[in-house]
Amino acid sequence: MARKQGSHSDITGPKVHQAALRLIAQHGYAAVSMRQIAAEVGVQVGALYNYTSDKQSLLYDLMHSHMRDLLDAVAATDMSGDPVTRLRAFTCFHIRYHLPRSDNVFVSYMELRNLSPDNFTAVEAMRRDYENILEQILRDGEAEGVFSVADTRVSTMALIAMLTGLSHWYREDGRLGMDKIEAIYWDLVRKAVMA
């Protein structure tokens, strides 16, 4: 089949990724076929292979790009100051960054099990880089005597899970606005670690 009128790689490529992300978030990786993704984009199945070598590569690309963008964004965020200030900055960053990206968050956390071993290792290393930022804040707070946690690694994972869970249920048109939700979550995080 000939390329559709107006179909260009810089337009169709992102559409393929957006469709795959949406479908995988809705139905799960195992349930989504390349045929479904092609239909969502409006191209023949064979045309997808101009943008990805296979479904596994597509899943990896979605997760890798999410983690790369997350790491770039956190690196550009001011996380200076004492440990309490840094913890608040991390908490607010995590909430504000993840909430508008609920499909990315869902796929990145729930579909790790479907990555090949090599792809899993690469994405997991990036996740660890992000988690290490929070863990270092907790270690610094313990060293200064302002935080008290039984185990910094476990506390890191628990706090990230709590903050990330917000993207699964929060709705902009819900009862509480973003500022109020952020304040409540900051209070929860602070109380969880303060000495």
Side-chain angles (χ1 to χ4, degrees), residues 89-136:
F90 182 91
T91 299
C92 294
F93 167 81
H94 189 94
I95 291 170
R96 297 273 175 172
Y97 186 85
H98 285 84
L99 277 184
R101 297 168 177 85
S102 61
D103 284 351
N104 299 82
V105 172
F106 184 83
V107 170
S108 292
Y109 283 85
M110 299 308 292
E111 298 296 346
L112 274 171
R113 66 189 181 275
N114 286 308
L115 288 174
S116 69
D118 287 345
N119 287 344
F120 177 88
T121 298
V123 171
E124 185 64 18
M126 297 174 85
R127 287 169 57 110
R128 184 66 161 216
D129 288 343
Y130 182 70
E131 294 158 1
N132 286 344
I133 296 166
L134 176 56
E135 190 168 1
Q136 189 60 55

Side-chain angles (χ1 to χ4, degrees), residues 61-82:
D61 288 346
L62 293 173
M63 291 187 179
H64 183 269
S65 64
H66 172 70
M67 289 308 305
R68 183 197 59 232
D69 293 347
L70 173 63
L71 290 170
D72 288 348
V74 76
T77 300
D78 183 10
M79 297 269 177
S80 61
D82 62 85

